[in-house]
Amino acid sequence: MKKKAFTLVEVMIVIALLGILAAVILPSMHGHTVGARESAVKDCLMTMRTQIQLYKMEHNGLPPGYVNDITAAPSLLGYQFTATTTVTGLVSMSKVPSAPYLYGPYIEKLPENPFNHRRDIAYVNVATAFSDAVDGATCGWLYKKETAELVINWTGKDSKGVYFYDY
């Protein structure tokens, strides 16, 4: 009886070809991953910035980060986006508007920074440049409440050479 099987040489040729294909394909896949993260950051920033403008319109020009014209704790800032608020910025944990918490929620949950996987927002002093505040680790997003500016907390440049905090 004759046995049918692959020879050692045939198996080695197939393994070599698979290795060559992997060496060619994997680097190009990495580029797509980086591009996807860059695109996700831009989408998150666009959404958040739009919601900040909506919040300002509904709260008589006052951006998120204030309650009764006084700086709110950074932990409260997230709830101003994800829960209901009064016109002065007081927060109710409810997601259903009812008097006097008639505004919001503006988003379901804070978006995740695709690079460090954090959702929290930290305040940056209005006089501090974002380039000086970015560290990539302490939070997901950086926010200047006085100017309603929001940037990603990530160091380095994107695939086109633009600093992430300049998005």
Side-chain angles (χ1 to χ4, degrees):
M1 210 184 233
K2 189 173 182 180
K3 293 183 182 179
K4 292 188 176 191
F6 294 109
T7 66
L8 181 59
V9 174
E10 290 172 329
V11 172
M12 288 177 65
I13 290 172
V14 170
I15 290 173
L17 288 174
L18 290 174
I20 291 169
L21 283 173
V24 171
I25 293 173
L26 288 178
S28 67
M29 296 298 280
H30 176 70
H32 292 295
T33 302
V34 171
R37 286 184 179 176
E38 292 171 5
S39 183
V41 167
K42 290 175 183 176
D43 287 345
C44 289
L45 285 169
M46 183 180 66
T47 299
M48 291 294 290
R49 289 171 177 161
T50 300
Q51 295 311 308
I52 289 169
Q53 293 307 312
L54 178 59
Y55 184 100
K56 282 176 64 174
M57 287 188 325
E58 292 183 341
H59 292 80
N60 299 325
L62 197 63
Y66 293 95
V67 174
N68 295 322
D69 293 325
I70 299 171
T71 298
S75 59
L76 188 63
L77 177 62
Y79 291 118
Q80 287 181 320
F81 285 109
T82 61
T84 55
T85 61
T86 66
V87 72
T88 61
L90 290 172
V91 174
S92 164
M93 293 301 127
S94 173
K95 297 203 181 270
V96 179
S98 62
Y101 301 96
L102 300 174
Y103 308 99
Y106 297 92
I107 55 175
E108 185 177 333
K109 61 184 176 181
L110 291 175
E112 181 181 274
N113 175 327
F115 294 100
N116 68 11
H117 308 290
R118 297 201 50 169
R119 295 180 184 275
D120 49 341
I121 303 174
Y123 289 135
V124 175
N125 186 305
V126 70
T128 303
F130 281 120
S131 59
D132 294 334
V134 169
D135 65 11
T138 55
C139 62
W141 309 95
L142 298 171
Y143 179 65
K144 290 184 181 181
K145 63 186 177 316
E146 299 85 358
T147 58
E149 294 175 88
L150 180 77
V151 299
I152 186 170
N153 183 20
W154 194 247
T155 58
K157 297 179 181 180
D158 68 7
S159 59
K160 294 181 181 174
V162 176
Y163 285 103
F164 287 105
Y165 57 78
D166 282 337
Y167 276 7

